[in-house]
Amino acid sequence: MTTYFSEPQSMYYRFGEDQDQVLKVLAERYIGANAQADFVYRVFQKSGILQNEKGLYDLNLSKRFPDAQKGQIAYAAALVWGDEDRNLDVLISCYGPVRFYFNEQLVYRSTVMDEINLDATVKQGIDIKPGWNTLLLEMKYTPAGFGCQFGSDEGKVRILNVLAPFQERQGQAGWVYSKPISSEENHPEWNLLGSEEDHRLEWLPDAQWSEEKQTQPSLERIYGHLPGQQVYAWTRLVNRDSSDCPIRLSGQSSGPLNIWLNGVSAVQLKEAGPFEANIPGSFGRNDLLIRSECSDTAESWSFVINATVNGEQLELELPQRVHGASGESWLYLGPFPSEDVEPDLQDLMRTDRVFKGIVLNYNLEETGGQQQARKERIYWRLDRPEAWIRPYYENAMLSNKWTVGSVTNYGRWDYPLGVTVYGLLQTGRYLQRPDITRYASEHVQACTRMDEYSLWDREQYGFPAVNQQLVMMRMLDNCGSFGSAMLEAYSECQEPTFLPIAERIADFMLTRLERQEDGAFYRECIGEFAENTMWADDLYMSTPFLVRYARLTGNNSALDEAARQFLLYRKYLYMPEFKIMSHVYDFKYGQATQIPWGRGNGWTLFSLSEVLEVLPAEHSERPALIAFFNELCEGYAALQGEGGLWYQVLNDSETYQEASCTAMFAYGFARGVRFGWLYQPARYIEAAERAWNGLTRKAIDRQGNVHGVCSGSRYAFTAEYYNKDLLTVTNDNHGIGIMMLAGTEVAKMKKHLAQPKVSSTAMTQS
């Protein structure tokens, strides 16, 4: 029997069969380890290195340095933070000769085939260590090309956020790269955590404005001269005076100016000139918002503002913490057309959305002599060259400019987290704990409220810094699981941003997803390991979302599609001799792998129970799906292992016992009993209880840590891959949520069975 910890460490040893207590500890441990941390905002310069749609940083230096000479060399450098030891596969596609140094060690040198084959991509593993890790690319110019593409394999899942090196740029996002030079240097010894001035190279993009940069805002410097247009500037006044004295605002403007302090109008200046006002303020931080209009007659576009209390100058700071913005105190948004309508200030002073502004084209040759303006979405920026603030999901909370700690999953759109959110929602409801359901709903809201921004972010920078899987939606993995959890959370919060995302996902599944000729979903994935395959996992990645979408919108075609997919997948993946499912059907070979991976089967039963719960009694496919459910349950029950757990490969007792599939079978059996779908419920009552007790004895420790959960899988035609290569991970998100779901369903089953049954005789007498 597989052992993950000793018996006294188990949840069962501590709480016995008190399921409520087990669920409470599971949920609270997860929430305690994943605090509600906001996205991390950083300075990013659009003139720097951008990513392509695959998430690879495109260092095509031939475009940036068209006058480079044969033999010249340029460098690109970046930092990566590691919370813990982890391996990451990076991809390198060469335009010319490349050397890659990781932590000052040469780990890759391009071959001639890498350099002349435009389609060649090299995969290189790197071992990220706790703390700062250095990346350095040395690229040599040839007439054939100069530079490379660089990034992580499966970049929207295995996110590689790089930060600028050097103390002068600390906290800024992105690579720095040098202008070409004629001779090589002893580059591995460069101190990328030291000063930029220690190196004789000229690094781009430019870090600051020129030395003429003023201490007061100059909108001319940022936007140019735009008569009749408006820009907003936002800062915070730090008031440490507790005497309740008013804040005195004074200054000078080059044109019309409006000022609001904490949402209250303080100054309305209709033309250029000085201003002053006294307005009540609060101890602590006060939001100061300014709207400045560019005057037709003024020579420049700027304003000067002073804020004092009792004659003491107040400190100004950025209203949103932005790493890498040392010395800055204002954010800028614009330009907007001049208008008399007052803005909704609360809607304006936020960083989780983009705004409808304009961009003017002054190139008269392009516009036929006419100045043109086009509507365009805009976002907050800084008084630096091409510098915007940019939110990142970094899977960590920052403690200061250089150090990172406390890994957290909060705020990430990711398929394993979809089932985690679902588990938290159901646990909170079962325990009558609104704090747990609220936490789960707010995780989803953190993602969806950034949806419009993340779409804009991709347009601007090539690849989004947040919501990568939702924005770059190409597979069911990217949308179905978390999308289902999103719709499950809708009843808790009625969040309006959920609905347009649900429509986008439904359109992808129903009209754009690749299918076989018979209509079955499959993975086309041209050029990838999963090319032309069908995965049992994808029943979970699609059908729970479709049934929730149908229930919310009344779109019965989505429900019909969910039912249809189960019967199609049965045709390809069902193993009748065992009454279980093969993990994958490989259309390249025209056959199923015949390897019944535990969690792939768990997803199947889990998802079928979700469909049967909603499918109307009169639906034409319901009898076939009820029969399929009973076939699967019979097959799974026959293979339950010692101690109540199932094996990683279900029909191979030489493989290890795995927790996530065990939880899903317990979930499916318990629902089958409670909803009355099972022909012989008694055997499944016992199997579900054995499974749950096995999990609390063997897989869930007394602190609520979840053990024995297989890591994310690829596929193979041999059981050895699943047993030897797919090792278990403690507190893996593929298992935490389903443990909570299994616990709630087994508890509901027991309560259902404990309810008094009304006999037919009693019914007749009544």
Side-chain angles (χ1 to χ4, degrees), residues 743-754:
T744 58
E745 283 299 331
V746 171
K748 290 176 184 177
M749 177 190 74
K750 291 179 178 179
K751 290 184 177 181
H752 167 76
L753 294 171

Side-chain angles (χ1 to χ4, degrees), residues 409-543:
N409 291 301
Y410 188 81
R412 179 171 182 170
W413 179 290
D414 185 56
Y415 97 76
L417 289 172
V419 74
T420 305
V421 168
Y422 184 25
L424 288 165
L425 288 168
Q426 293 292 63
T427 299
R429 292 163 180 165
Y430 174 77
L431 296 176
Q432 298 182 24
R433 288 279 301 274
D435 58 318
I436 296 175
T437 55
R438 184 170 58 251
Y439 170 93
S441 298
E442 288 175 355
H443 178 143
V444 183
Q445 289 171 303
C447 299
T448 63
R449 289 175 179 175
M450 292 296 287
D451 180 55
E452 186 183 12
Y453 170 82
S454 60
L455 293 168
W456 178 86
D457 188 282
R458 178 187 60 176
E459 293 174 2
Q460 296 299 304
Y461 308 122
F463 192 80
V466 295
N467 287 348
Q468 288 90 348
Q469 295 185 55
L470 176 62
V471 174
M472 310 299 288
M473 191 190 306
R474 289 183 55 244
M475 300 174 62
L476 288 169
D477 280 23
N478 303 150
C479 59
S481 170
F482 205 92
S484 177
M486 175 185 72
L487 295 183
E488 185 67 26
Y490 187 72
S491 62
E492 302 295 332
C493 60
Q494 302 291 305
E495 171 63 48
T497 56
F498 289 4
L499 302 181
I501 295 173
E503 293 294 340
R504 200 158 81 234
I505 295 172
D507 176 67
F508 171 74
M509 287 189 188
L510 296 174
T511 69
R512 295 187 288 119
L513 184 65
E514 54 265 28
R515 298 170 181 254
Q516 290 291 308
E517 290 184 3
D518 58 7
F521 296 157
Y522 82 112
R523 304 187 184 192
E524 191 174 28
C525 296
I526 297 174
E528 300 178 16
F529 79 92
E531 183 173 354
N532 291 331
T533 56
M534 171 189 285
W535 298 49
D537 314 40
D538 284 347
L539 288 169
Y540 165 69
M541 305 298 174
S542 58
T543 61

Side-chain angles (χ1 to χ4, degrees), residues 121-197:
T121 299
V122 177
K123 182 182 293 187
Q124 174 67 50
I126 57 175
D127 294 318
I128 295 175
K129 303 298 181 184
W132 291 112
N133 297 261
T134 60
L135 309 178
L136 184 68
L137 294 167
E138 176 189 291
M139 297 160 285
K140 181 178 290 187
Y141 173 85
T142 71
F146 189 15
C148 68
Q149 294 181 13
F150 182 97
S152 70
D153 189 19
E154 298 182 272
K156 64 186 175 185
V157 178
R158 295 167 179 84
I159 301 167
L160 177 63
N161 289 322
V162 300
L163 303 184
F166 309 129
Q167 292 176 348
E168 294 87 343
R169 301 174 186 256
Q170 64 179 19
Q172 296 179 22
W175 293 81
V176 299
Y177 61 100
S178 73
K179 289 186 176 180
I181 60 172
S182 298
S183 60
E184 300 184 26
E185 289 197 350
N186 191 17
H187 41 270
E189 296 181 0
W190 290 347
N191 180 12
L192 297 182
L193 294 172
S195 173
E196 190 170 333
E197 296 179 355

Side-chain angles (χ1 to χ4, degrees), residues 591-605:
Q591 61 181 299
T593 61
Q594 296 296 306
I595 304 296
W597 179 44
R599 189 158 66 231
N601 277 268
W603 290 133
T604 302
L605 192 68

Side-chain angles (χ1 to χ4, degrees), residues 70 288 405 468 737 759:
K70 185 176 181 180
L288 183 70
Q468 288 90 348
S759 68

Side-chain angles (χ1 to χ4, degrees), residues 214-228:
Q214 303 171 14
T215 58
Q216 290 288 346
S218 170
L219 301 176
E220 187 99 11
R221 180 169 57 236
I222 306 171
Y223 295 101
H225 199 65
L226 304 176

